[in-house]
Amino acid sequence: NHAGLVVFDEPGQQAADPVNLTSLFQVSAKGRPDRHQILIATSEKEHAIKAGLGDRPYNLISFNGYILKPLN
Protein backbone atom coordinates (compact mmCIF):
# COMPACT_ATOMS: atom_id res chain seq x y z
CA ASN A 1 0.00 0.00 0.00
CA HIS A 2 2.15 2.82 -1.30
CA ALA A 3 0.85 6.29 -2.03
CA GLY A 4 2.76 6.26 -5.32
CA LEU A 5 4.57 9.50 -4.56
CA VAL A 6 8.33 9.98 -4.19
CA VAL A 7 10.00 13.37 -3.73
CA PHE A 8 13.70 14.09 -4.26
CA ASP A 9 14.79 17.51 -3.01
CA GLU A 10 17.94 18.72 -4.78
CA PRO A 11 19.79 15.43 -5.36
CA GLY A 12 22.62 17.38 -7.03
CA GLN A 13 23.23 19.23 -3.77
CA GLN A 14 24.78 16.06 -2.41
CA ALA A 15 27.58 16.43 -4.99
CA ALA A 16 26.15 13.55 -7.01
CA ASP A 17 28.07 12.65 -10.13
CA PRO A 18 26.18 13.68 -13.31
CA VAL A 19 26.09 10.03 -14.38
CA ASN A 20 24.40 9.14 -11.08
CA LEU A 21 21.85 11.94 -11.52
CA THR A 22 21.06 10.63 -15.00
CA SER A 23 20.60 7.17 -13.52
CA LEU A 24 18.31 8.62 -10.84
CA PHE A 25 16.21 10.33 -13.53
CA GLN A 26 16.07 7.19 -15.70
CA VAL A 27 15.19 4.78 -12.89
CA SER A 28 12.65 7.21 -11.42
CA ALA A 29 10.92 7.60 -14.78
CA LYS A 30 10.47 3.83 -15.24
CA GLY A 31 7.37 2.01 -14.19
CA ARG A 32 3.74 2.93 -14.49
CA PRO A 33 3.27 6.70 -14.76
CA ASP A 34 -0.47 6.17 -14.28
CA ARG A 35 0.27 4.71 -10.83
CA HIS A 36 3.04 6.88 -9.47
CA GLN A 37 4.42 10.38 -9.42
CA ILE A 38 8.06 11.32 -8.91
CA LEU A 39 8.89 14.94 -8.03
CA ILE A 40 12.49 16.06 -8.36
CA ALA A 41 13.32 19.58 -7.18
CA THR A 42 16.72 20.50 -8.55
CA SER A 43 18.84 23.41 -9.66
CA GLU A 44 20.36 21.33 -12.45
CA LYS A 45 20.35 22.99 -15.86
CA GLU A 46 17.26 22.27 -17.95
CA HIS A 47 19.30 20.73 -20.79
CA ALA A 48 20.92 18.30 -18.34
CA ILE A 49 17.53 17.22 -17.01
CA LYS A 50 16.14 16.68 -20.51
CA ALA A 51 19.25 14.73 -21.52
CA GLY A 52 19.03 12.65 -18.34
CA LEU A 53 15.39 11.75 -18.93
CA GLY A 54 15.89 10.92 -22.59
CA ASP A 55 12.71 9.56 -24.13
CA ARG A 56 11.03 8.78 -20.80
CA PRO A 57 7.68 10.51 -20.24
CA TYR A 58 7.90 13.56 -18.00
CA ASN A 59 6.52 17.02 -17.29
CA LEU A 60 9.15 19.69 -16.68
CA ILE A 61 8.13 22.82 -14.81
CA SER A 62 10.79 25.52 -14.60
CA PHE A 63 10.87 28.52 -12.27
CA ASN A 64 13.07 31.59 -12.48
CA GLY A 65 14.64 32.48 -9.17
CA TYR A 66 13.60 31.06 -5.85
CA ILE A 67 10.28 29.24 -5.57
CA LEU A 68 9.90 29.85 -1.85
CA LYS A 69 10.28 33.46 -0.76
CA PRO A 70 9.69 35.34 2.49
CA LEU A 71 6.41 37.19 2.75
CA ASN A 72 6.64 40.97 2.80
Side-chain angles (χ1 to χ4, degrees):
N1 293 332
H2 191 278
L5 175 67
V6 178
V7 178
F8 295 101
D9 179 29
E10 192 54 72
Q13 184 178 21
Q14 311 309 320
D17 184 294
V19 172
N20 291 336
L21 280 177
T22 297
S23 295
L24 172 66
F25 294 155
Q26 288 286 322
V27 170
S28 297
K30 284 183 180 178
R32 306 260 324 257
D34 59 321
R35 291 189 159 197
H36 71 254
Q37 184 173 15
I38 310 295
L39 303 176
I40 301 174
T42 183
S43 59
E44 291 294 318
K45 302 294 183 199
E46 194 169 307
H47 65 85
I49 296 168
K50 289 179 178 180
L53 287 166
D55 63 348
R56 303 267 183 218
Y58 66 90
N59 291 319
L60 178 63
I61 301 171
S62 296
F63 297 91
N64 291 323
Y66 292 107
I67 298 171
L68 299 176
K69 299 176 186 176
L71 296 173
N72 291 331

